[in-house]
Amino acid sequence: MQLHIVERSAFVVIGMEAVFREGDEGFGDLWQRFIPREDEVTGKVEPGVSYGICVPRIDGDLQYITGFQVGEDAVIPEGMVRFQVPAQRYAVFTHTGNAAQIGASFQAIHDHLLGAHGLQPNDGIDLERYDARFDDPFDHASQMELYIPIH
């Protein structure tokens, strides 16, 4: 997987959320509920770029938000949430593969890729960034970026 390091300023995402326990399925179902409503999100900073926001919770569950980066004054559509992603330094890995393989990529990053590059993970929020390179969740050639917080 390709790697680069970025410093991201804080930004706001509006989208839909769900909470998952370890091993739960359903991320795709959340996306399937969100995609038909994505045009309700106004004030998009990059209209062709969506995010999966992975927020670890104290109880071990994972809050997951599908959405778009928006301006500070964007209106929250009914049934959606506004989430402030904090400023963070990230190791960004390019995932190539279908959506079902994303979890394995996260596992490989945490198990050995960060260490192989001399990087230390930081507690924080992981990001999935989807742009035009990810055009089909079943396409093994699709690409997206995985942002891992680092020190």
Side-chain angles (χ1 to χ4, degrees):
M1 276 187 269
Q2 299 172 7
L3 164 70
H4 64 278
I5 307 297
V6 298
E7 298 278 345
R8 287 239 21 192
S9 300
F11 65 99
V12 174
V13 169
I14 289 181
M16 296 176 77
E17 72 174 336
V19 175
F20 298 98
R21 294 189 183 283
E22 187 174 334
D24 278 355
E25 300 286 322
F27 294 92
D29 293 338
L30 181 60
W31 280 102
Q32 291 305 313
R33 289 195 316 270
F34 176 67
I35 289 170
R37 297 190 59 200
E38 67 183 12
D39 290 337
E40 295 176 38
V41 178
T42 60
K44 296 173 186 160
V45 173
E46 295 179 277
V49 176
S50 58
Y51 287 87
I53 310 294
C54 307
V55 185
R57 295 174 20 148
I58 293 171
D59 62 6
D61 291 347
L62 179 75
Q63 177 186 12
Y64 185 77
I65 301 158
T66 60
F68 290 94
Q69 180 180 354
V70 297
E72 290 289 331
D73 59 347
V75 176
I76 305 167
E78 186 175 333
M80 293 194 192
V81 297
R82 178 185 193 277
F83 185 80
Q84 176 82 34
V85 178
Q88 180 67 55
R89 182 173 187 233
Y90 290 99
V92 181
F93 292 87
T94 301
H95 163 83
T96 301
N98 65 27
Q101 298 168 320
I102 293 171
S105 288
F106 270 119
Q107 191 70 44
I109 290 166
H110 286 285
D111 284 353
H112 67 275
L113 290 175
L114 287 173
H117 291 284
L119 300 172
Q120 292 280 36
N122 192 8
D123 290 338
I125 297 168
D126 292 344
L127 307 175
E128 304 164 353
R129 184 181 183 275
Y130 299 89
D131 58 24
R133 297 172 297 162
F134 196 86
D135 61 344
D136 181 344
F138 302 103
D139 183 354
H140 292 280
S142 283
Q143 291 188 324
M144 46 88 70
E145 295 173 332
L146 302 175
Y147 284 65
I148 311 299
I150 58 171
H151 290 280

